[in-house]
Amino acid sequence: MSVKVAVVTGSNKGIGFAIVRGLCKRFDGDVYLTARDVGRGKKAVADLEKEGLKPHFHQLDVTQPKSIETFRDYLKEKYGGIDVLVNNAAIAFKADATEPVAVQAKETLFVNYFSLVSTCEILFPLLRKGARVVNVSSSAGHLSRIPSEALRNQLKDPNLTVEKLSALMQQFVDATVAGTHAAEWGNSTYVVSKVGVSALTRVQQRLLNDKGIIVNSVHPGYVDTDMTSHKGPLTIDEGASAPLYLALDAPDSVKGQYLWRDSKIVDWEGELPGPY
């Protein structure tokens, strides 16, 4: 009987760290904390070991296909597959960032959307039957955040493909260079990146339906992390609650969905619920 394995990307701090903590307490198998920086990753593992937990560490930079491929080969050789994949790695520019919007758009979409796509393309072949994928989105990832009805219709198209979605995301990046993005896309590069993640989740579920694999996206809540400049009211463990529910507890009927931080399914195409 092969050992089960769970992987959390970008998990040396914040919500990802708390998801690893929760998995270590309850998941029946090996749990991998991954980080771009080896020193930070190993320190995070040591911190959890002080709590009596036993996470494993592997270096992973989701922006570097070679790094993802190295990790894939390691997992394939040691475990033969993946049972839980939590795509948590992401960046966000601060509200007072001075970089031009075109720079912010290129970097944010590269990490939060395009690197997620490449991570999934490389790791998805390892997903075992019954595997669960959790894409960490945001309240910013709700479809209502996009001003243009025409764009919203394209993003919720039941026949949307990864290629078409990626082309739309690139159109946004190009529009920021031209300075024509605001009317259709709005002004937040983070919003567009996370709407992309939420839309991607639905496409991925459709592609994996016949393989018995479950993919969902989740808004973890407004959490006290570096990313929110520690303005969020929730603890990282509270932020990990809904992602852990999807990874471990949600019924198999919950798939291709967008969940709120209270672990309730939200209509991604409807009105934005609150509070965040």
Side-chain angles (χ1 to χ4, degrees):
M1 184 73 179
S2 57
V3 176
K4 285 188 171 184
V5 62
V7 172
V8 186
T9 70
S11 49
N12 61 286
K13 63 178 182 176
I15 295 168
F17 179 81
I19 294 170
V20 170
R21 177 191 277 140
L23 286 170
C24 282
K25 290 177 178 178
R26 295 191 45 220
F27 179 70
D28 181 24
D30 289 352
V31 180
Y32 275 81
L33 184 154
T34 68
R36 183 172 52 184
D37 183 279
V38 172
R40 288 176 184 169
K42 289 188 172 177
K43 182 189 180 300
V45 165
D47 289 343
L48 289 172
E49 286 174 343
K50 288 173 191 165
E51 299 177 23
L53 304 174
K54 294 180 177 163
H56 298 258
F57 174 72
H58 200 286
Q59 193 272 345
L60 177 64
D61 183 346
V62 298
T63 69
Q64 299 291 329
K66 184 112 182 77
S67 173
I68 308 166
E69 288 165 358
T70 298
F71 187 37
R72 174 202 62 197
D73 294 346
Y74 168 82
L75 291 171
K76 188 173 182 180
E77 184 177 343
K78 183 160 185 179
Y79 299 96
I82 297 173
D83 301 281
V84 171
L85 173 61
V86 182
N87 288 307
N88 170 74
I91 64 165
F93 281 85
K94 304 299 183 187
D96 60 355
T98 55
E99 291 88 345
V101 66
V103 172
Q104 294 189 37
K106 185 177 181 182
E107 292 188 18
T108 304
L109 272 288
F110 174 60
V111 176
N112 296 4
Y113 175 78
F114 289 106
S115 294
L116 172 57
V117 170
S118 61
T119 298
C120 293
E121 284 176 349
I122 293 166
L123 295 183
F124 270 18
L126 289 187
L127 294 174
R128 288 194 259 253
K129 187 171 185 180
R132 293 187 171 206
V133 178
V134 182
N135 292 329
V136 178
S137 184
S138 164
S139 61
H142 192 270
L143 186 60
S144 65
R145 302 286 195 182
I146 303 298
S148 163
E149 183 181 0
L151 277 174
R152 291 198 303 271
N153 286 336
Q154 289 182 74
L155 289 161
K156 68 182 181 184
D157 180 351
N159 297 311
L160 184 67
T161 63
V162 176
E163 291 74 23
K164 285 180 184 173
L165 177 56
S166 293
L168 284 170
M169 294 293 107
Q170 187 59 49
Q171 279 177 32
F172 165 70
V173 175
D174 295 343
T176 62
V177 175
T180 59
H181 60 284
E184 288 191 312
W185 291 98
N187 278 312
S188 171
T189 62
Y190 186 73
V191 159
V192 177
S193 75
K194 289 300 190 178
V195 167
V197 170
S198 303
L200 177 68
T201 300
R202 291 153 57 107
V203 177
Q204 289 175 334
Q205 182 62 68
R206 205 169 68 243
L207 294 171
L208 294 169
N209 260 337
D210 61 351
K211 291 186 164 55
I213 294 165
I214 292 171
V215 190
N216 290 290
S217 62
V218 60
H219 160 50
Y222 194 32
V223 179
D224 178 2
T225 63
D226 288 350
M227 190 179 275
T228 67
S229 300
H230 300 281
K231 292 175 182 171
L234 302 179
T235 66
I236 57 172
D237 291 306
E238 288 171 325
S241 174
L244 286 167
Y245 169 75
L246 286 174
L248 300 171
D249 301 317
D252 289 349
S253 57
V254 178
K255 54 186 182 180
Q257 300 289 349
Y258 172 75
L259 270 73
W260 211 242
R261 63 179 179 86
D262 56 4
S263 300
K264 299 286 194 301
I265 295 173
V266 164
D267 180 3
W268 184 65
E269 299 175 16
E271 290 186 15
L272 184 71
Y276 305 155

